[in-house]
Structure formats: structure tokens, C-alpha cells
Amino acid sequence: MALIQMENLGKVYQAGTVDVPALEEIDLSIESGEFLAIMGPSGSGKSTLMNILGCLDAPTSGKYFLDGEDVSELGREQRADVRNRKIGFVFQGFNLLPRINAVHNVELPLIYGHVNASQRHEQARDALKLVGLADRADYLPTQLSGGQQQRVAIARALVNSPEIILADEPTGNLDSRTSKEIMMIFRNLNRERKITFVLVTHDHETGDLMDRKILIRDGKVEGDERNCGEEL
Amino acid sequence: MTNPFDAIKTAFGSLKVNVLRSLLTMLGIVIGVGAVIVMVAVGAGAREMIGEQIRSMGSNMILVVPGASQQSGARMMAGSVHTLKSSDAEAISKECLAVKYTAADWSDVAQVVYGNRNWRTRVWGTWQTTFLMRDWPLRCGRMFGPEEEKRAAKVAILGQTVVENLFGDAYPLGKVLRIRNVPFTVIGVLERKGQTPRGDDQDDSVYVPLRTSQCRLFGTPFLDEIQAAIVQAKDEASIPEAEKQIDELLTRRHKIGRKQEKDFSVKNLAEIHETAQKSLNIMTTLLGSIAAISLLVGGIGIMNIMLVSVTERTREIGIRMAVGARYADILSQFLIEGVALAVSGGLIGVILGIVGAFIFARASGWPAAVDPATVLVAILFSGAVGVFFGFYPALKASRLHPIEALRHE
């Protein structure tokens, strides 16, 4: 079975008494080790899909299997557990905790995964080394540049060895040179550590760097193309 | 749930970010706990003092003093009538069954001379039962007996302060000293009794037989008159009975009609102490309510700040949830923050309370004892305040939806 398997998945939001469908009839299959983008204009439902993929939210209909496990019926607590064990997040706005230093930020998922302090520290430093920030471990987020902050965020996503990293517009707040660096890091992690990457973006340049593009429009999968073009 | 040590570290980390705000939030708890500590310490000290007072005066005491006289309608002060006699005291001792000991007093201040030294002190004419009632033993020598009382013998028993001032290191027993130029033989020396809580030196006194004081030393305006009869009831329960018996006996002996005003008054010393206890209790209640209100207000302050903090840190909560924090993790994080605020406030309050009690003790001269159990209870209670008022904000934080929390600006 594929790493991610979605079957006839739908999500309906309730606005007062009116039902607003955000996603309809999503059938999607993502294999382990893929490097793909979910693309679409704003309001297309790609963020909703991302939230469901990341187990931040549950679908209202259909099935979602993650790593062979049906996660569409899980409750909040179990979803938190799945997020902790299998998913890493990278956000557009970095979302680091401003008052604690880089290494403590990276440790955060391990705290909720009940890893003891010394092992936590070691794993966090290893993750920072992977993104090339070993020497910035004691810096506060505000003392780092945008690119560096995003690399800390990537280290945080990596630290509990997830199956999949979900990145929501990860280069949206960065200049093009830094964006390229970040994309390089993603590609290397994908190649060397076989981590599956799912990027949500509306930027076609970024999309073109991925192996596969899934296009969402009006809550439905409109296209699914394989890239064999540009290399990083 | 995360391990408690990490949770506590996280909580204090958050409180350190805004030290002034945290301190101001604690203030209510600080004042509340401080007030509790001072209240309990001072209350315990005052109680101890009152207890000591009761002990030093003898327990279950009743005082019988002459009443107020009237001259042409103008009422004189208490003790201005001269109708209380030592025979009344004897009658009380014989006829009132609820009474254990009785003593009659006639005292005045006089110059006491021995050799080339002299000392001004109060000379008490009394019965030897005085010493039994007050549980006051002799250091050496003997008491005056009934025969010496009857014939108004010129014998004296001295308190320690008088001995020190008149004799220094010399041996006082058998020596002759003069009180108002009347020679007295020292037959006994009392043990040191110490000061009354008011600061009166009980050892600065000379005791002589009642009749000696009445007839040979000071003279009484009327024959056999006494200033007071001191009565000890058999036990605490029999005090009201003893009072009643004394009242009836003296009414009969003084031939007072039903509509006439009594020429004596019976005072229960326990009642005086009860009054003191009561005013102490009022003070304790007052301080206690200040403490309770402060703790309540302090708790509300903590709740308020925690709610603000939850709103401010919505995004942080979202991030924590995204990386795998559960309900219980978020709940405990904010709950521990609330408790940490309250308990830190409690600790500061305890320190200030101890300092306050110490200053109060110094300033008032009252003893003040800080009980470790009180400190423990105060800290536990402030913790409970933290839990109670921190729970709602923590629950609110844990109920946030991760997506909405992450989107929060």
C-alpha cells in the first residue's frame, strides 16, 4: 500500500446553517519517498487538504490511510500522536517559539514524544547539523535570518524521523536565493534519507522543481502531472 | 503527558519573560499569604500571653472588691465604701462550698529599711493562702502561721527583688528590717516569680500577715476593713456556682434589701480573659477576612493574566499542538504556570509574613511564633488557589483547535 492513500475523501465546513464543501471526491495516492507539490489558487482547498494530510483536521467523509493506518476516524488525541510520530511540519512563517533558542525549538516534538533530556539534546543537535546550523544552536530565533529560521524549522520537522514532511509555502517569506537553498535542503533530505515531501505552493517555479504536481481547483483534484524537467 | 520537570521548567521560562507582570499578578497572593502568616503568628503569641497571664494570677480566680458609695447622689469610684471586712473573707472560706481558697488583702506602698539601705516597695497584708492560690513556693524560711496572723506578728516574707536591693549577698533570714519604722523579722524568702505580662515585677513585694498590715502598719479607716478578697474556685466549672454563693452570702451578711444597691462586686477573672480572647478573636477574624479577600482577588488576578497569556500565546499553543502536544500537555503546561505563579506568590508572602510577624513582635513586645505547619498550609493553599483559578484558562488553551491556533496572528 502507498504511504498516503485517500479514497473519495471530502471535507465540509459548516458556516452557520449552511454547509460549505471545501474538498470533494479526493482520490490520492502518494508513495514513500515521493517529492511532490500540491498546487492551486487560493481558495482552491489546498490548505484544507494539507491540514487533513497533516492530521491537523479530520475529513468529514471518505478514507485516509497513512502508512497503512486508517487515520480518518481518529480522535484529537490520537491525531496528535500520529503527528508526533509520523509527520513533520514546515510553515511559511517558520513558527518557531520566539523565547527559546534554536536547539530547544528543535527539541519540541521530542518533549511530547517522551524522549529523555540528554537524548533529546543529542538528536536535536544532529538535526541542526543536517541543516547546517550546528553553530547556531544557542541562538534565539530573532537572532537568526529568515533562511536560518526556516532551517531550524526544518530541523524541528526532521528531529523525530518522520515518514513525511509537509511544507506549507515554505519559501513564501524568503528571497529567491534563500528559497533555492531551502529547496536544496529538501531535495537532499529526500534523496539521502528517503523522506517523503509534500509541498503546498501556488508558485509554479517552486512547483516545477518537484517530481510530481497535484493541481487542486474548487476542492477537487484537477490534474496530476509528473515532472521530468528541471533539476535543482 | 510530558515529564513534570520539563513542564515546570517551561512554566518558569514563560513567567520569566515578563517578570514585572508576573510579580504584579502574584501580589494578591503575596498579601493574602503574608496576612495569614502574621495573623497566625501574632494570634498564637497573644494567646500564649493571655494564657501566661492567667497562670501567673492563678487559675479560676474570683475577685471580691468593695462597691461604689453614694454621697448626696454622686457616685464614688469602686472601692470607696468601707464595708468589706476580713470576716467576710473568712465567711466565704467557711461557707461557700464551691470555693477552694480565700485570701484577704490590705496593701500600701512603704519605705523598707535594712541597715544603711532602703527600698520603696508594695507591702501586702494577706493570708498565707495567697501563696497557695498563686502556686508560689518559698525558697527558704517559712510561712506565717494562723497564730501569727491572729496576733498581728511583725514578721515578713520577701520577694527576690527586695532581697537583692536590701541585702545584696547577705543572708536575710532572721534579720530585722524596718517598714515605716516598725521592726519586722524576716521569716521567709519567696522563689523568683518573674514579671507579669504587663511588666510589673511580682518579686518586688513584701508580704506580712493581714492583721499586721491593718493594725500596725497602715491602719484601716474602719475596723478590719480589707481592700479585696481573692477567691479561688474549686475548678473552672464551679466558677459560676462560687460567684453565686459569694454573692448570696455577702448580700445576707451586709443585710442588703432586694431594691438596694450592693456594696460589693464580684468579678470573675476568667471573664476578663474571655473578653481579651474575644477581642483577639475579632482581630483574628478581621485579618483572616483580609487574607481570604486578598487570596480571592489574587486568584482572580492570576486567572485574568492567564487568560491574557493564553490569548497572546495562541500561536505557540498551535505550534505545540502541531508537533504532537495533546490536551493534557497543554492543560498541564498552563495549569503549572498558574500554580507556579500562585506558589511563588505564596513563598514571597511567607517570607514577608515572617518578617512582618518579627517586626510586630519587636514593636509590641508580644511574643509571635511562626508555626512551620502554618507555612506549609499557606503554601499548599496558594497552590490550590493556582489550580482553582488557573484551571479555566488552561482548559481554554487545551480546547483550542490546532489549525485556528496556528492561523492566529
Side-chain angles (χ1 to χ4, degrees):
Chain A
M1 200 180 203
L3 178 64
I4 285 170
Q5 185 78 43
M6 286 181 163
E7 290 168 6
N8 197 24
L9 185 133
K11 176 76 183 177
V12 177
Y13 287 112
Q14 283 187 319
T17 52
V18 191
D19 288 349
V20 183
L23 290 176
E24 289 173 298
E25 299 161 25
I26 304 284
D27 288 298
L28 195 62
S29 173
I30 299 170
E31 295 295 331
S32 180
E34 279 200 68
F35 195 64
L36 72 90
I38 293 174
M39 305 195 63
S42 57
S44 61
K46 61 181 195 301
S47 291
T48 307
L49 181 59
M50 165 89 175
N51 289 338
I52 292 172
L53 271 172
C55 286
L56 286 165
D57 208 350
T60 42
S61 63
K63 289 279 173 210
Y64 171 22
F65 295 93
L66 175 64
D67 203 14
E69 184 188 354
D70 183 2
V71 294
S72 45
E73 306 283 334
L74 295 181
R76 268 187 65 156
E77 295 289 272
Q78 291 136 319
R79 285 208 303 275
D81 193 46
V82 171
R83 289 198 296 274
N84 188 254
R85 283 185 293 114
K86 298 193 168 165
I87 301 167
F89 290 94
V90 177
F91 302 95
Q92 180 175 7
F94 320 136
N95 275 346
L96 299 174
L97 298 189
R99 296 183 302 243
I100 57 178
N101 65 27
V103 71
H104 284 127
N105 261 293
V106 175
E107 275 181 25
L108 210 54
L110 300 176
I111 288 179
Y112 298 115
H114 311 281
V115 179
N116 71 45
S118 61
Q119 202 186 333
R120 226 157 57 200
H121 211 66
E122 198 178 310
Q123 274 177 254
R125 285 197 178 270
D126 287 347
L128 278 174
K129 209 178 286 170
L130 272 177
V131 296
L133 281 180
D135 56 335
R136 295 283 190 276
D138 300 325
Y139 284 50
L140 288 175
T142 46
Q143 296 168 316
L144 299 171
S145 70
Q148 286 170 329
Q149 286 186 52
Q150 194 61 304
R151 273 144 73 187
V152 173
I154 294 167
R156 182 179 65 192
L158 275 176
V159 76
N160 51 351
S161 321
E163 305 284 343
I164 176 167
I165 288 180
L166 294 172
D168 188 0
E169 303 275 11
T171 57
N173 284 13
L174 302 172
D175 61 53
S176 59
R177 202 175 61 87
T178 321
S179 297
K180 207 159 184 179
E181 274 173 31
I182 296 296
M183 292 308 291
M184 284 279 274
I185 291 171
F186 284 166
R187 181 51 103 178
N188 288 339
L189 289 169
N190 173 249
R191 292 247 167 89
E192 286 161 22
R193 302 180 80 87
K194 305 288 174 233
I195 297 171
T196 311
F197 275 83
V198 176
L199 250 74
V200 173
T201 180
H202 62 263
D203 174 24
H204 284 279
E205 244 176 83
T206 310
D208 288 341
L209 299 173
M210 311 303 283
D211 294 340
R212 181 181 169 195
K213 280 196 282 189
I214 294 167
L215 299 165
I216 305 283
R217 189 179 284 272
D218 299 331
K220 289 179 184 169
V221 177
E222 202 190 44
D224 188 348
E225 8 178 306
R226 306 255 164 198
N227 260 346
C228 34
E230 271 180 87
E231 265 298 313
L232 271 163
Chain B
M1 244 172 73
T2 45
N3 110 36
F5 181 71
D6 287 328
I8 290 167
K9 223 170 85 180
T10 307
F12 275 100
S14 311
L15 297 182
K16 261 196 322 211
V17 171
N18 206 330
V19 178
L20 183 64
R21 186 164 95 179
S22 301
L23 284 176
L24 288 174
T25 308
M26 288 174 198
L27 205 57
I29 304 284
V30 171
I31 293 169
V33 169
V36 168
I37 299 289
V38 172
M39 173 189 79
V40 173
V42 171
R47 232 170 280 271
E48 197 175 295
M49 196 178 81
I50 289 170
E52 195 184 307
Q53 210 164 14
I54 292 170
R55 275 194 298 282
S56 81
M57 295 179 85
S59 49
N60 313 323
M61 302 297 268
I62 298 163
L63 195 64
V64 184
V65 292
S69 64
Q70 271 191 12
Q71 285 176 4
S72 318
R75 302 185 68 204
M76 301 289 115
M77 66 181 284
S80 55
V81 293
H82 305 284
T83 51
L84 195 65
K85 311 282 179 184
S86 64
S87 55
D88 288 329
E90 273 159 28
I92 289 168
S93 142
K94 274 187 200 129
E95 293 177 34
C96 298
L97 293 174
V99 167
K100 192 172 168 193
Y101 292 122
T102 308
D105 273 353
W106 186 270
S107 78
D108 204 344
V109 176
Q111 209 72 21
V112 182
V113 182
Y114 172 74
N116 59 355
R117 300 193 198 198
N118 70 89
W119 183 246
R120 192 170 178 78
T121 186
R122 184 164 281 274
V123 179
W124 295 85
T126 189
W127 297 345
Q128 66 168 44
T129 41
T130 291
F131 306 110
L132 297 173
M133 280 192 276
R134 293 168 76 177
D135 194 18
W136 197 357
L138 285 170
R139 175 171 286 184
C140 56
R142 61 176 181 86
M143 295 285 177
F144 32 78
E147 192 266 337
E148 281 167 316
E149 279 179 19
K150 205 171 278 174
R151 67 174 165 88
K154 290 178 280 183
V155 290
I157 295 173
L158 309 183
Q160 282 293 329
T161 306
V162 177
V163 172
E164 279 158 24
N165 282 288
L166 285 183
F167 293 93
D169 293 332
Y171 186 70
L173 279 191
K175 300 278 170 13
V176 175
L177 47 73
R178 284 178 299 143
I179 306 171
R180 288 204 172 172
N181 274 332
V182 180
F184 278 80
T185 309
V186 179
I187 58 165
V189 173
L190 290 159
E191 281 289 353
R192 186 173 293 284
K193 183 84 168 166
Q195 295 190 338
T196 65
R198 280 210 213 133
D200 299 333
D201 183 2
Q202 298 181 87
D203 299 310
D204 190 5
S205 49
V206 171
Y207 291 87
V208 301
L210 175 66
R211 278 180 68 83
T212 314
S213 159
Q214 286 170 317
C215 308
R216 294 191 194 269
L217 267 180
F218 304 120
T220 53
F222 287 83
L223 186 67
D224 217 12
E225 185 184 342
I226 57 174
Q227 287 163 330
I230 301 155
V231 179
Q232 186 172 35
K234 283 221 164 78
D235 49 50
E236 208 183 326
S238 56
I239 293 173
E241 181 59 26
E243 279 182 282
K244 205 176 126 217
Q245 289 173 355
I246 292 166
D247 192 79
E248 281 168 4
L249 177 73
L250 293 184
T251 306
R252 202 171 65 237
R253 283 179 64 87
H254 294 185
K255 301 188 176 67
I256 294 162
R258 232 186 295 163
K259 282 182 182 168
Q260 270 178 297
E261 204 177 336
K262 284 173 185 162
D263 64 348
F264 60 92
S265 76
V266 179
K267 289 178 185 167
N268 176 349
L269 288 186
E271 265 168 22
I272 297 168
H273 295 306
E274 254 167 49
T275 315
Q277 280 288 3
K278 262 181 208 157
S279 56
L280 179 71
N281 286 346
I282 290 170
M283 194 181 80
T284 309
T285 314
L286 199 72
L287 264 167
S289 24
I290 291 172
I293 292 168
S294 296
L295 285 173
L296 182 73
V297 172
I300 293 168
I302 286 177
M303 186 151 158
N304 183 26
I305 282 301
M306 291 307 295
L307 282 172
V308 170
S309 174
V310 168
T311 308
E312 279 177 353
R313 286 154 65 194
T314 302
R315 205 185 177 84
E316 175 189 327
I317 294 162
I319 295 167
R320 288 179 184 274
M321 283 176 165
V323 302
R326 296 150 175 259
Y327 264 139
D329 293 324
I330 301 295
L331 186 79
S332 64
Q333 183 193 336
F334 281 89
L335 203 52
I336 287 170
E337 262 187 59
V339 173
L341 266 176
V343 171
S344 310
L347 283 171
I348 296 173
V350 164
I351 293 166
L352 291 183
I354 290 171
V355 172
F358 182 75
I359 291 171
F360 186 90
R362 268 290 178 86
S364 68
W366 289 20
V370 177
D371 181 11
T374 315
V375 170
L376 193 69
V377 168
I379 290 170
L380 288 179
F381 191 77
S382 51
V385 167
V387 171
F388 186 80
F389 288 99
F391 191 78
Y392 174 68
L395 192 70
K396 207 178 151 194
S398 72
R399 288 272 168 86
L400 286 170
H401 195 285
I403 296 169
E404 276 152 33
L406 272 171
R407 251 189 238 139
H408 187 91
E409 281 308 317

